[in-house]
Amino acid sequence: MRVEIWSDIACPWCYVGKARFEKALEAFPHRDQVEVIHRSFELDPGRAKGDVQPVLAMLGKKYGMSQAQAQAGEENLGAQAAAEGLDYRTRDRDHGNTFDMHRLLHFAKEQGRQDELIQILYRANFAEERSVFTEGDERLVELAVEAGLDADAARTVLADPAAYADEVRADEREAAELGANGVPFFVLDRAYGVSGAQPAEVFTQALTQAWGNRSPLKLIDDGGAQACGPDGCEVPQR
């Protein structure tokens, strides 16, 4: 079974939702037969690469919140994250463009290190004092190396704005086609969708239902075609 997760590194509920989903997946009896793929979704696709601002200022501008309201929301997110065993800085975080991170995640997918990298990016953005937005490409290269990727290869990807850009845009178009207008958005076997950072029990229910309702293979065979099997290949008879 395949589970695709549309998310953004700048999305705190994606950070929390990933932990809740993984809690459900860990207890799922067929977890070794579940493939998880992370898909790209930008919460702020129009933001320029160098446009970085404090999270509280961004929330105030985007949602019309007061400073106190925005801070209260961050405190609530911090409590939700802590309940899942996650570190979360409720003050002095910043917000910026995540397109390069998504490009790097597609590169990591090719190397079999996508899940490692996305978790490291989440941790760096939500739990660490150093910014993932203001230190340039070398900060992302450092995190890529921590995820097991080659530094020079990661640096090459980041230096080329076209590298994996089409893959990111394709993910985003697909999200729109599936009706996902927010993240996290989980799609199970292209048959079931789960929106938001649901409790682990909801993910457990979704995994169980999707697994049980998988369509069995329908065999089309008129009995006359030759084939190869464990005992060898059939020899046509004249």
Side-chain angles (χ1 to χ4, degrees), residues 131-209:
S131 173
V132 295
F133 299 108
T134 61
E135 295 188 27
D137 289 352
E138 283 306 304
R139 172 66 167 144
L140 297 184
V141 170
E142 175 187 313
L143 296 171
V145 169
E146 186 179 343
L149 298 170
D150 178 76
D152 289 338
R155 197 173 286 116
T156 298
V157 169
L158 292 168
D160 179 5
Y164 301 96
D166 288 345
E167 287 83 347
V168 175
R169 296 306 182 209
D171 277 357
E172 294 175 337
R173 285 194 301 271
E174 199 164 15
E177 291 167 2
L178 290 169
N181 52 19
V183 285
F185 188 69
F186 301 77
V187 177
L188 291 73
D189 261 358
R190 291 299 171 108
Y192 296 88
V194 179
S195 181
Q198 300 285 349
E201 302 80 52
V202 174
F203 289 119
T204 297
Q205 180 182 355
L207 286 166
T208 302
Q209 188 170 348

Side-chain angles (χ1 to χ4, degrees), residues 36-49:
V36 178
I37 297 176
H38 297 280
R39 301 290 191 193
S40 300
F41 189 105
E42 293 173 275
L43 290 174
D44 205 352
R47 182 176 290 271
K49 183 175 179 178

Side-chain angles (χ1 to χ4, degrees), residues 61-102:
K61 182 178 180 181
K62 189 170 184 177
Y63 301 108
M65 292 181 173
S66 68
Q67 184 91 354
Q69 288 173 323
Q71 185 60 56
E74 283 295 283
E75 298 293 341
N76 175 56
L77 277 162
Q80 298 275 351
E84 305 303 329
L86 301 172
D87 292 327
Y88 189 98
R89 295 179 65 234
T90 59
R91 297 178 183 274
D92 302 321
R93 287 194 306 106
D94 56 14
H95 175 81
N97 181 285
T98 58
F99 188 65
D100 284 347
M101 298 180 206
H102 286 295

